[in-house]
Amino acid sequence: MRRVLLAVLSLSLSLVLPNALRAQVTREQFRAEFNKAFELGDQKMMDQAMRKDRAATLAATYFEELCVDLVAGRKEVAPKVEAMRASWGRCFEKSGTLDRLQRWVEGTQASTYDSVQRGRENAAKTWNFYTTTKDANREEVLKVMRNFATLGQTAEQFGHYFEAAENYCLAIVVGSKVPDQTIEDRKEVVLLAEKFLAARKTWEFTFDGWYVQNDQWLKAEKLRIADAEKASAKRRAEGYDANARGVESLVMPGAKGEAQPLAFEMLTAWENDLDYGPKNGPVPPLWWNVVVGGAGKVALMAWFRRQPVHFARLGANKYGVALDEAAKKVFEVEVGGKGKPSTFWLDPDKKVPYAMFFWEGSDKERVGDAESNLMSTTESANIYYRSASSWKCTIGGESLVVYDDGANGYPCDNEVWDPPLKVATLGEHAGDGTQVPLLDSMRLGKGPRVPYSEFVKLAAGWFHLHRDKETMILRPLNPEYFKTGKVKLTWTGPKPSAPVQLVIQGAGDYKTAFFDLAAGKEVEVPAGSYRVIFGRVLVGKGARAQSAALYEGTSKGFAVEAGKTFDLRMGAPFSLRFDRTGDEVATIDALKILLQEASGCVFTDMHGLGLAPEVLAAKAEDGKGQKVVGKFVHFADAELLNKAAATHPKLGLLCATFPMPQGYKEGAMVLKVQMPGAGWKVGLVVRKHALFGVINSPFK
C-alpha cells in the first residue's frame, strides 16, 4: 500500500474527537508522553499515558499511523509499534483492537485507504461547520448528524470498525443537540448508539468510559422513549396534535382563545414612564436619531421597519413625516426641546395612526460627561425621537396596554434579536458592533410597565398572549404541562448602583418570556432556562439624570426549577474590563473600557456616570508593588468631543460616555504609557466612583 501524508490524513479524528468528546488528554500530550516513555524504555510510564481518560482513541489513531509507516518501509518504527501493542495489552486485557487495526492496514488497498482518509477529511469539515454555525436550525443539525452516520456506514463497508465507531459517536453527539427533538429523532440517535456499540465490539474496543457511558445511556434512553411514547399517546387522547411543538404543546388543547382588537392611543408624556431598550430612557441624546439637511431635505428613519418613513425638513424650524422620499404627502410634527408628542399617519387615508416624541437639543446639552452643542443649523438638524404610540384593549378580564418601545412601527415584538440591532458602545466600535435586544413593553391592569412577554399571569391563571396584526389573542396554558418557579434578584453594593430595570429572557419554548427583576422581589416565571439581557441604572430626574445601560456581557444563564426560587446574585464587586496591547509601551483603547459587575454583565452608555481610571503597572498579575503610570479623565471638553466623534463616527458624541486619555488632542482615543520594563502588567483603578465605589481591574 502506498504511503499517504499522515499529517493531514490523521488530523480529522485527532482534532475532532477531543473537542466532541471532551477528552482529558490532547493528541499532542499523549504522543509527547508516550514517545518520551518509549525513548526511556519505561513501560510503567507508557502505561500511565495509555490509561489516561480516553487516551485509548488517540493511541489507536497513532498506532494506525505507525503501521502505515511500517508498511511503507520505515522499519525503524517497528519497535514503537510493538511497544504500543504491548502497552495496550497490559492496560486493556483481552482487547485485540490494535491487532485488528494492523491487519486492516496491511491488507488494505491504497485506493481504499485513500477513501477512508477522504472520509476523515469530510468528518473534520462537517464538524467545523457544526461548531462554527451559530444558532443552527433543526434541519441543519439533523443533516450534520446524518452526514456522520453516512461516514460511519461507509467506514464499515471498508471494514474499518474503529473509524466507523468514531463517526457514529460524533453523530450521537450532534443528534443529542437537535432543536425541538422528536421521539423519532431520539429513536434515530438510539440506532446510532447501537451501531457505535456494535462497531466497537467488532474490534474489541469495549473498555473505555465512552463505550460504558453510551451503553448505559442507551438502556436508559430506551426506557425514556417508551415513557415519552406513552405520554405522547396521552396527549393525543387529550386532543393535542401529534406534531405539537413549542407553545402549541403548552396551551390547553383545542383552545381558540380570546381575541380582542387593539385601539391606538397617543401617549402624552415620556418623562415619568420608563420604557425599555437601548434607544430609550430618560436621556433624549440616547434616543434614536435622524440627521436631516436644510429646508426641503428628507432623511430615511432607518429603524422604522413597518414601512419606509422619511423625516422632512419643511423650513428652518418646521418638520414633518413623509411617506415617500419625494415628500409628496407630509404630516407636520412638533419638534422642540420638550419632546412633545405628534401623531402622523402611515397611509394617505389617515386610517393607520402612529405617534412619536421628537426632541431637538440646544447649544448646551449634556452627553455623557460633556456639554455639547446639539442645536440645529440651517444646513443640518439632528433630531432625536422615540415612540409615543400605545394600543389598548381589554382581554382576560383585564385592561392591556402595549407599547412600541423599539420604534419600528409594531408593538409586541417577540423576536427581540431579529432584525439585529448592533451598538458600538460595548467595545466593538470599529466593526459591526455588538448585538443587543430590541424590547417592547406592556402594562396589565394597574400594574407597572414591564417588558412585553407572551407568557402572562392573570387572575384566572397563566396565559399565552400573542399579537396577530391588530388583534391580541389570549389562550390558557395547561397547568399539567406548564410549570412555574420563581426568581429573585439579590443585588450587592451601594444602593444607588442597583438597576431600576433588569430584564431576563427565557429559552426554548419560553424564548418569548421576558420579566423584570429589578424590584428585588420574587417573580413567578415559567420553569426553564434564563439569561439577563438588559438593564438600566438611573439616578435623578430631568436634566440631572444619571444613567447607564446594562447588558449580558460574559454572564452565565441560569435554570429556574418548578416550584423553587432561584436567587440571582449580582452587583459588587465591580471591576473594569479593558484591552491592552504592546509591552514596554502599553496601549489602552479608551472605547473598550467597560464596567462589569460580579456575574459578568457590563455597563455602558455611562451618562453622567463616567469613569476616570488611573493606569497602574506591576511586575506580576498579583499587582504587588504597583505604581501609577498613566491616567484617564472625564470627557468634559466639547471641542475635543467633536474631534473624537469625527474619528469614531459609529459612536459620534457617545465618545463622551467613555474615559478620555489624559492629554488627548485628536485622533483615536487610545492612551499610550511607558512601562517600567518589559513584561510588566497593566491594571486600572477608579479610586472612588460616586455610584460604584472603588473599582479595580485584573492586571494583564
Side-chain angles (χ1 to χ4, degrees):
M1 181 185 69
R2 67 177 175 84
R3 186 180 175 193
V4 290
L5 294 175
L6 292 172
V8 174
L9 301 177
S10 67
L11 202 57
S12 60
L13 278 141
S14 60
L15 293 183
V16 168
L17 285 175
N19 289 319
L21 309 184
R22 302 184 184 275
Q24 298 302 304
V25 61
T26 67
R27 170 181 181 268
E28 291 74 18
Q29 287 171 341
F30 171 77
R31 295 188 180 204
E33 291 178 15
F34 189 88
N35 288 340
K36 182 178 180 180
F38 173 73
E39 290 170 4
L40 296 173
D42 190 330
Q43 291 185 358
K44 184 178 180 180
M45 191 174 174
M46 291 184 211
D47 296 351
Q48 286 176 342
M50 187 72 71
R51 286 195 177 99
K52 286 193 174 178
D53 187 22
R54 293 178 186 148
T57 56
L58 302 176
T61 302
Y62 191 20
F63 184 80
E64 180 183 318
E65 294 181 21
L66 295 172
C67 288
V68 171
D69 281 347
L70 188 60
V71 170
R74 287 189 58 196
K75 297 187 182 299
E76 65 271 19
V77 303
K80 187 180 290 186
V81 169
E82 293 308 316
M84 186 171 288
R85 189 201 317 278
S87 178
W88 183 281
R90 291 190 298 271
C91 294
F92 316 122
E93 294 181 7
K94 299 180 182 179
S95 171
T97 305
L98 297 194
D99 293 332
R100 293 173 181 273
L101 185 54
Q102 185 171 10
R103 287 198 296 270
W104 183 88
V105 171
E106 292 172 347
T108 298
Q109 297 294 321
S111 58
T112 300
Y113 195 74
D114 286 345
S115 296
V116 170
Q117 302 302 352
R118 284 195 295 272
R120 289 178 171 173
E121 292 171 4
N122 288 335
K125 291 176 182 177
T126 301
W127 183 255
N128 182 65
F129 168 81
Y130 173 67
T131 54
T132 57
T133 301
K134 187 179 180 181
D135 300 325
N137 60 38
R138 171 181 165 79
E139 289 70 27
E140 289 172 327
V141 178
L142 282 171
K143 184 177 180 180
V144 170
M145 178 190 75
R146 289 164 183 162
N147 283 348
F148 280 124
T150 299
L151 289 168
Q153 291 168 358
T154 302
E156 274 197 76
Q157 292 170 1
F158 291 135
H160 199 314
Y161 288 93
F162 173 75
E163 182 72 19
E166 301 302 86
N167 280 294
Y168 289 139
C169 189
L170 289 172
I172 295 167
V173 171
V174 176
S176 66
K177 304 294 184 182
V178 173
D180 300 324
Q181 195 176 49
T182 66
I183 291 177
E184 294 306 313
D185 296 336
R186 293 169 67 182
K187 287 183 175 180
E188 196 169 348
V189 178
V190 162
L191 179 60
L192 291 168
E194 290 174 338
K195 290 185 175 183
F196 165 78
L197 295 173
R200 282 290 200 92
K201 285 180 182 178
T202 301
W203 273 15
E204 301 176 358
F205 196 164
T206 60
F207 50 81
D208 71 334
W210 197 245
Y211 179 91
V212 173
Q213 290 172 22
N214 272 278
D215 187 39
Q216 293 173 343
W217 173 87
L218 179 61
K219 294 172 184 176
E221 179 66 357
K222 286 182 176 180
L223 294 174
R224 288 191 292 264
I225 288 176
D227 291 340
E229 288 179 321
K230 291 177 183 177
S232 179
K234 177 178 179 291
R235 290 174 66 88
R236 288 196 300 272
E238 293 170 345
Y240 284 99
D241 187 282
N243 297 315
R245 300 285 181 273
V247 70
E248 298 305 320
S249 67
L250 299 172
V251 297
M252 293 296 292
K256 294 183 179 179
E258 177 185 355
Q260 297 292 346
L262 288 167
F264 172 83
E265 183 175 291
M266 184 185 76
L267 302 175
T268 58
W270 57 268
E271 295 89 343
N272 300 319
D273 199 8
L274 201 59
D275 56 356
Y276 287 81
K279 294 292 185 180
N280 307 85
V283 182
L286 301 182
W287 294 357
W288 304 98
N289 76 302
V290 59
V291 180
V292 64
K297 299 294 184 179
V298 299
L300 179 69
M301 300 176 74
W303 198 256
F304 194 89
R305 300 301 177 92
R306 184 167 179 171
Q307 67 184 66
V309 168
H310 295 78
F311 191 76
R313 191 169 189 181
L314 307 176
N317 298 300
K318 190 176 181 182
Y319 302 94
V321 172
L323 301 184
D324 58 84
E325 191 172 3
K328 294 179 180 179
K329 182 66 175 178
V330 181
F331 300 104
E332 191 171 340
V333 297
E334 185 174 356
V335 178
K338 299 294 185 181
K340 293 183 178 180
S342 293
T343 296
F344 53 92
W345 284 263
L346 301 178
D347 64 315
D349 298 328
K350 296 185 177 181
K351 294 182 178 180
V352 185
Y354 195 84
M356 288 183 177
F357 298 105
F358 292 100
W359 183 85
E360 183 177 29
S362 68
D363 61 343
K364 293 182 179 180
E365 298 289 349
R366 189 159 56 90
V367 180
D369 288 333
E371 189 175 81
S372 302
N373 182 1
L374 301 182
M375 181 176 288
S376 298
T377 66
T378 55
E379 293 80 22
S380 179
N382 193 9
I383 307 301
Y384 296 83
Y385 65 91
R386 59 181 266 188
S387 175
S389 298
S390 72
W391 293 262
K392 296 184 176 183
C393 72
T394 299
I395 196 165
E398 297 193 37
S399 62
L400 171 69
V401 185
V402 293
Y403 307 90
D404 180 25
D405 292 1
N408 66 356
Y410 293 106
C412 309
D413 284 333
N414 54 25
E415 296 289 346
V416 301
W417 303 96
D418 185 28
L421 170 64
K422 295 185 177 182
V423 299
T425 54
L426 283 167
E428 296 297 325
H429 59 84
D432 293 335
T434 304
Q435 189 171 357
V436 296
L438 194 60
L439 298 160
D440 283 341
S441 62
M442 65 181 184
R443 189 192 308 275
L444 278 167
K446 296 182 180 180
R449 188 164 173 172
V450 295
Y452 173 72
S453 174
E454 290 197 334
F455 292 86
V456 296
K457 187 177 184 181
L458 306 180
W462 279 88
F463 292 81
H464 182 256
L465 179 68
H466 182 70
R467 179 182 64 82
D468 183 8
K469 297 181 180 179
E470 308 302 324
T471 301
M472 296 303 298
I473 299 173
L474 188 72
R475 294 186 293 169
L477 292 160
N478 190 338
E480 183 174 357
Y481 303 116
F482 176 82
K483 305 297 181 182
T484 64
K486 294 181 179 180
V487 188
K488 180 180 183 296
L489 171 66
T490 299
W491 185 270
T492 56
K495 187 175 180 179
S497 70
V500 295
Q501 293 176 324
L502 189 77
V503 181
I504 60 172
Q505 178 185 10
D509 293 345
Y510 301 116
K511 69 176 183 178
T512 58
F514 301 87
F515 301 94
D516 192 335
L517 308 180
K521 300 177 181 179
E522 291 184 350
V523 178
E524 189 176 3
V525 302
S529 299
Y530 290 86
R531 58 181 175 140
V532 176
I533 62 168
F534 176 76
R536 178 178 281 121
V537 171
L538 178 62
V539 179
K541 295 182 179 180
R544 292 185 295 275
Q546 298 172 298
S547 69
L550 178 147
Y551 293 106
E552 184 175 11
T554 59
S555 63
K556 306 297 182 183
F558 57 93
V560 179
E561 297 181 51
K564 297 183 179 180
T565 299
F566 181 83
D567 186 13
L568 178 61
R569 296 183 174 274
M570 299 178 64
F574 302 102
S575 60
L576 294 174
R577 270 175 42 181
F578 71 100
D579 283 357
R580 176 255 176 102
T581 58
D583 186 14
E584 294 189 60
V585 177
T587 300
I588 302 172
D589 187 340
L591 302 178
K592 292 188 176 183
I593 298 175
L594 296 172
L595 175 65
Q596 179 173 284
E597 55 81 43
S599 75
C601 290
V602 293
F603 297 90
T604 188
D605 295 335
M606 307 284 282
H607 180 76
L609 296 173
L611 305 169
E614 294 178 340
V615 182
L616 307 175
K619 288 185 177 180
E621 293 178 356
D622 60 12
K624 291 181 179 179
Q626 60 187 245
K627 58 180 68 177
V628 177
V629 292
K631 188 176 182 181
F632 290 90
V633 297
H634 292 283
F635 210 142
D637 190 305
E639 183 178 344
L640 292 179
L641 177 57
N642 289 333
K643 293 181 178 180
T647 303
H648 304 285
K650 293 185 177 181
L651 279 167
L653 297 180
L654 294 183
C655 288
T657 63
F658 290 90
M660 186 179 79
Q662 188 176 45
Y664 176 78
K665 297 299 182 183
E666 61 182 357
M669 285 181 57
V670 297
L671 179 65
K672 294 187 176 183
V673 293
Q674 181 68 48
M675 302 298 288
W680 279 59
K681 308 301 180 183
V682 174
L684 302 180
V685 62
V686 175
R687 305 288 181 184
K688 187 177 181 181
H689 190 276
L691 242 66
F692 301 102
V694 178
I695 312 171
N696 292 293
S697 81
F699 278 81
K700 57 184 181 180

